[in-house]
Each structure stands twice: as C-alpha cells, then as structure tokens.
Amino acid sequence: MLAKVLSSAVIGVDAYLVEVEVDIAQGLPAFVTVGLPETAVKESKERVKAAIKNSGYAFPDDRITVNLAPAHIKKEGTGFDLPMALGILAAGAILPHAVLERFLFLGELSLDGRIKAVAGSLPMALAAKQAGFQGIVVPHANRKEAAVVDGICVHGAQNLSQAVEFLRGREPLPAEQVDIDRLFTPLQCGHEDFAEVKGQEHVKRALEIAAAGGHNLLMIGPPGAGKTMLARRLPSILPPLTFEEAIETTKVYSVAGMLAREQALITERTFRSPHHTISDAGLIGGGALPRPGEVSLAHNGVLFLDELPEYKKHVLEVLRQPLEDGQVTISRASSSITYPARVMLVAAMNPCPCGYYGDPRHACRCSAKQIESYRAKISGPLLDRIDIHIEAPAVSYTDLVGERPAESSQTIRDRVVAARKIQVQRFRRTKMFCNAHMGNRHIKKHCAIDAATSRLLEAAIDRLGLSARALNRLLKISRTIADLAQAEEIAGLHVAEAIQYRGLDRPAALVN
C-alpha cells in the first residue's frame, strides 16, 4: 500500500513543501528512509515505531520505505515524525487517504506518542496557505505561532492519538484563533525609560535622530558615562513594529527555535547585545547546520556592540555586507542560505585603552601610539557604515543629583514616529522606509540644499578635515534632522547640527 502525506521544511527563513511518501510492501521487516535525510531524520524510524505502538495502533511487520521529495534537497530536523507516522497508518488502511490531502502536517514524536514542538512552524504555515491547503496540523505548543497566519485553519495536536482520531472524524480538534490586535497592545510596565537617564542631553538627541532616520550610531566615552544605559533604552523610542515587520522578525526566531513557549508573535523591536568574544559565525550566522546569527536575530531591531574595539577584527569585518545589504548570505557547497539582517547598529567604546582620554577628572595613561592602535581596530570601511559618532562624557554631579525632569521615552517616540511617517510617504514607491537606506540617486533627489548651506558644508569638509565619504552621511543625517523639525527643505542649521555627529572623520579627534 502507498500513502502520501504533505509536510514542510525550511531553507533560511522560508519554507518549502515536502511530500512524504510511504510504501508498505511484503518482505522482511525493515524501515528505510530515502530522499537525502540527515541524522535526526534517519533516527525518526525508532521514534515513529515506538509512538505508533504506544498509542495503541498496530505497526506493520513488513518492509516500509519512506521517501522525502524533492529528493535533491537535504532534509533536516525532527518535524517529519508525525507525517511519517500518519503515512504508515494510512498505508495500513487505518486512516482515510482523502482527508490527508487537505492538511499539511509537522511535529516531532516522543516514544509515548506525544507531539513535541518543532522549529519553523510560522514559515511552514505561510507555505501551507500559499499552497492552498485547508489547514495545518502542528504540535500543540506551536499552535499560536502558526495561527497568526490569516486564511488557514491551524489545529494543535497534543499526541498522535488525538491527531489520528481527528482525521478519522471521531474527535474534534478546534482551529486555533489569535487576536492580532491584542498582541500589539503595548505593555504598560517593564520598559526602560529615557526619563531615568540623568544628563547626557546631547547623546539623547543623537539617539533620537538615529531612531528617526534608522541611522547606525557609535558612542565614545569613559567608563560609567551611561553608554550602555542609553543604548538599552533605544528600542523604547523606535517606531512600533508593523504586522509585516513582526512576521519577518518572528520567522527568524521561529526557524532558530527561540520563540518563547506559547508566544504567537514578536511584537516589539528586538535588542541583541552579544559578548565581545562572539565568533563570526555567531554574529552573522553559520555552522554545520546554518543558523541565524545575532545580526539576523536583531532584524528590525537594535544590534548593540559594547566595547567595540574588543571584538576580533575579522568578526567586525563580516558586518560590512549585512549593514550594506540588509541581509546575510551563507554559502555552502550544496546550497546558499539567506537570512534577513536589517538592523540599527549601535556601538559603544572607550576613547582609549584606559578609558580616560580627554576626561578632565582622570588622567589618561595611554600613549599616542596606544590610542592610535586602539582606534585602528575599527576599520575605515566599517566606520564608514556608521552614520553618527557622538561623544558621551562623564555625567557631572550636578546632573546626577538634579531634580530637573527628563523627557520620557513616549515623548521622544512621538517625535520619532512623526518623522518616520514623513519618510514612509517619501519612499512609498520604493522598498526603503527610512533615510539611512538612501542611495546616491535618492540623496540627490531628496537632500537638495541651497547655495549658502552648500558653502557651509564645503567649509566643514575643508576646515574640519572631514573625509569625502562623510558627505553623503552628513546629507542623510541633515534630512532626518529636517524631518524631526517637520521642515520640507534642509536648512543651514540642520547641516550644522549634522556636522557635530561625524567626529571620527576628523584626524585630530584620534590623537591630539
């Protein structure tokens, strides 16, 4: 007897359909899996056999052949257990073949027949919808994640018996419902707020500009200046995630198996802060079985690199392509996998190895050569991809004990959202959504300046030693500052403020 069950697997963050063909023929008892299965898939025969027996069904004492098509793609993971078991039961005339054609199945089986969670349920549900299936049967723990896909019935099964009886029409398995609007209801507590930060008003302004335009930012200051504290509050002023962005972000966490239990959707911008000992594969993704790295887990959110010069130089260099293209491509001999990586890079560093270069209250012990060597750990091409460089000096005693109230994150966020709305309208016919992503053609179109402002910009480049590559960065920052001011044209004061945020382009900024 031959039976066919539809399942799915993922490549990168997108799913593709897998046809699980099960053939039971007379012969010596055997269980053979073909179709390029990797180790976990090959081992599924033992789990499937035990789960079927312990669920009260007869396991055939014949030759069983399971083919996973398309056969030219390597199959990974444990999600084929459930479709294999259902295929065996259908081939043994326990399940009707017709009902199997209406659903897509995935799930890992335990030896007692329980269906355990698998990675990638969300992209698999999207694939099932696109293929026109009536519904999808997933592990009970994955039901909410898959149910955010509108237009397809998602049934969460707790064990093999429940799935079988549902398909035989003997036991109901209600379709899961998820209230998307409720998921996006903002939480009223648990957020870190800019109102808690004393002083550093100019750094807060730089972070507001970075949030409004999607610009990468580097903070330079002594230990204890509050760089990490400020960075951790950046997500609180970023615009809310759209549903499409939430789906993109959740897909990454889904395929990585990192969604929290019972979590349906990631509805807040992520904040990732990897330690400086991280490897290049950990940062951008990779490994024997390629997985998303930190830069992909921060997709549509913030990637914070504290103590930037402490990262290995070759690790930092692999960031150049993701920051430029918004995606990571991992190539292997047999395939190439692409993960999304559209992030805001926020980095922090000390001005020198001891941390006190330029600090009026602490003497710097570093030589000019040591400072130059320390700064040289950050290459020019990487620095070129960071729009804003801001100094974060130590906070004064007056600011620390002062009672002057600071602006809340919500107040700042309102201005950021208003600026982003202008940019969304500006780039409505493109795939861009913020000023940081403008190319030369868009800069020429949207960042026009008058003659007086042009002379100011020219003087800044000539007199302050700004590099030529800083010109486009200055114009993009100026455009964002103008958007925050609700101004249609870039004025001289906008450019003058932007010039302050390109400090590391000045040779004198490194060593006096």
Side-chain angles (χ1 to χ4, degrees):
M1 289 288 292
L2 176 66
K4 296 181 181 180
V5 182
L6 269 296
S7 186
S8 183
V10 294
I11 296 180
V13 294
D14 296 316
Y16 65 97
L17 298 184
V18 175
E19 190 175 71
V20 181
E21 299 176 311
V22 179
D23 179 66
I24 300 179
Q26 293 183 346
L28 294 175
F31 194 131
V32 180
T33 304
V34 297
L36 285 184
E38 54 90 33
T39 304
V41 182
K42 291 179 180 178
E43 292 176 346
S44 64
K45 62 182 180 181
E46 304 299 338
R47 296 191 296 272
V48 169
K49 183 176 181 180
I52 290 177
K53 288 184 175 181
N54 291 328
S55 297
Y57 304 105
F59 189 84
D61 292 326
D62 295 304
R63 180 176 179 82
I64 301 173
T65 303
V66 176
N67 178 46
L68 305 175
H72 67 282
I73 301 176
K74 190 172 184 178
K75 314 303 186 305
E76 301 169 352
T78 56
F80 300 113
D81 290 5
L82 178 61
M84 283 184 185
L86 296 176
I88 291 171
L89 294 176
I94 296 176
L95 280 176
H97 291 250
V99 72
L100 293 177
E101 298 175 356
R102 303 201 302 266
F103 296 92
L104 187 145
F105 302 89
L106 58 122
E108 175 186 341
L109 291 174
S110 62
L111 299 184
D112 61 358
R114 286 179 294 113
I115 303 177
K116 304 170 79 171
V118 295
S121 297
L122 174 57
M124 293 179 191
L126 289 168
K129 176 185 176 181
Q130 292 171 0
F133 285 94
Q134 173 185 324
I136 178 172
V137 178
V138 302
H140 189 263
N142 294 124
R143 70 194 190 285
K144 292 185 179 297
E145 169 192 347
V148 300
V149 180
D150 188 31
I152 187 169
C153 294
V154 176
H155 304 275
Q158 295 181 319
N159 53 61
L160 179 60
S161 297
Q162 188 179 41
V164 171
E165 296 309 304
F166 165 68
L167 294 172
R168 296 172 77 177
R170 298 180 179 179
E171 182 178 335
L173 199 60
E176 185 68 19
Q177 301 292 329
V178 173
D179 187 346
I180 300 297
D181 293 334
R182 185 176 180 182
L183 291 178
F184 279 90
T185 301
L187 299 176
Q188 300 301 318
C189 59
H191 289 290
E192 296 177 316
D193 200 292
F194 270 95
E196 303 163 350
V197 181
K198 299 288 187 180
Q200 302 291 21
E201 298 303 325
H202 69 296
V203 183
K204 293 179 187 177
R205 170 64 175 174
L207 287 167
E208 179 182 340
I209 294 169
H215 302 288
N216 300 325
L217 177 141
L218 172 62
M219 292 180 283
I220 309 153
K227 302 185 294 294
T228 302
M229 185 180 187
L230 287 160
R232 291 191 177 279
R233 283 156 177 74
L234 180 58
S236 69
I237 65 172
L238 289 173
L241 279 176
T242 64
F243 179 70
E244 291 74 18
E245 288 177 322
I247 288 289
E248 290 177 1
T249 305
T250 307
K251 283 170 67 176
V252 176
Y253 278 76
S254 178
V255 301
M258 294 179 62
L259 275 182
R261 185 176 179 84
E262 298 292 317
Q263 184 174 12
L265 197 65
I266 293 175
T267 56
E268 295 184 347
R269 296 193 183 273
T270 55
F271 181 91
R272 303 293 299 184
S273 179
H275 192 261
H276 63 77
T277 57
I278 193 171
S279 66
D280 51 356
L283 188 60
I284 69 162
L289 300 177
R291 288 171 50 85
E294 291 290 334
V295 71
S296 294
L297 294 172
H299 180 58
N300 289 323
V302 176
L303 177 66
F304 177 51
L305 302 183
D306 201 3
E307 304 296 343
L308 187 64
E310 300 301 326
Y311 288 80
K312 297 181 181 67
K313 190 166 184 177
H314 74 276
V315 173
L316 292 178
E317 291 306 299
V318 300
L319 277 174
R320 288 159 58 177
Q321 184 235 342
L323 292 179
E324 192 72 24
D325 301 336
Q327 62 183 22
V328 171
T329 300
I330 303 169
S331 297
R332 292 291 181 265
S334 58
S335 63
S336 181
I337 296 175
T338 298
Y339 291 114
R342 189 172 59 241
V343 303
M344 269 189 66
L345 174 65
V346 178
M349 62 180 286
N350 295 330
C352 66
C354 79
Y356 295 108
Y357 174 72
D359 191 329
R361 293 181 293 180
H362 297 84
C364 177
R365 304 187 303 270
C366 306
S367 66
K369 186 174 182 181
Q370 286 177 317
I371 298 174
E372 184 178 1
S373 176
Y374 182 74
R375 297 289 186 92
K377 293 180 180 179
I378 307 170
S379 70
L382 177 61
L383 198 61
D384 187 39
R385 287 164 172 79
I386 301 177
D387 297 345
I388 297 175
H389 316 145
I390 186 71
E391 293 184 9
V395 183
S396 67
Y397 175 79
T398 304
D399 287 334
L400 285 174
V401 300
E403 297 297 328
R404 179 184 176 185
E407 278 191 312
S408 68
S409 290
Q410 186 59 52
T411 301
I412 302 172
R413 190 186 209 189
D414 290 342
R415 294 196 296 266
V416 169
V417 169
R420 281 289 184 104
K421 287 181 178 178
I422 294 173
Q423 294 165 50
V424 169
Q425 180 65 19
R426 177 182 298 139
F427 304 127
R428 63 188 181 278
R429 297 178 182 175
T430 70
K431 295 183 179 180
M432 297 184 299
F433 65 94
C434 62
N435 291 332
H437 299 158
M438 285 193 291
N440 291 334
R441 178 168 58 89
H442 300 98
I443 291 173
K444 186 176 181 180
K445 180 178 179 181
H446 301 296
C447 300
I449 55 178
D450 58 27
T453 305
S454 180
R455 288 193 297 271
L456 171 63
L457 193 56
E458 182 181 5
I461 293 175
D462 292 341
R463 297 179 186 178
L464 300 179
L466 299 179
S467 62
R469 67 189 179 195
L471 175 60
N472 284 349
R473 304 289 175 184
L474 284 173
L475 289 172
K476 288 194 283 188
I477 298 169
S478 301
R479 180 68 269 173
T480 300
I481 295 171
D483 291 342
L484 281 168
Q486 303 289 304
E488 293 188 9
E489 304 294 335
I490 297 175
L493 73 160
H494 303 140
V495 172
E497 183 178 359
I499 292 169
Q500 302 176 49
Y501 303 128
R502 293 297 300 179
L504 290 186
D505 287 311
R506 309 172 192 175
L510 298 182
V511 181
N512 285 334

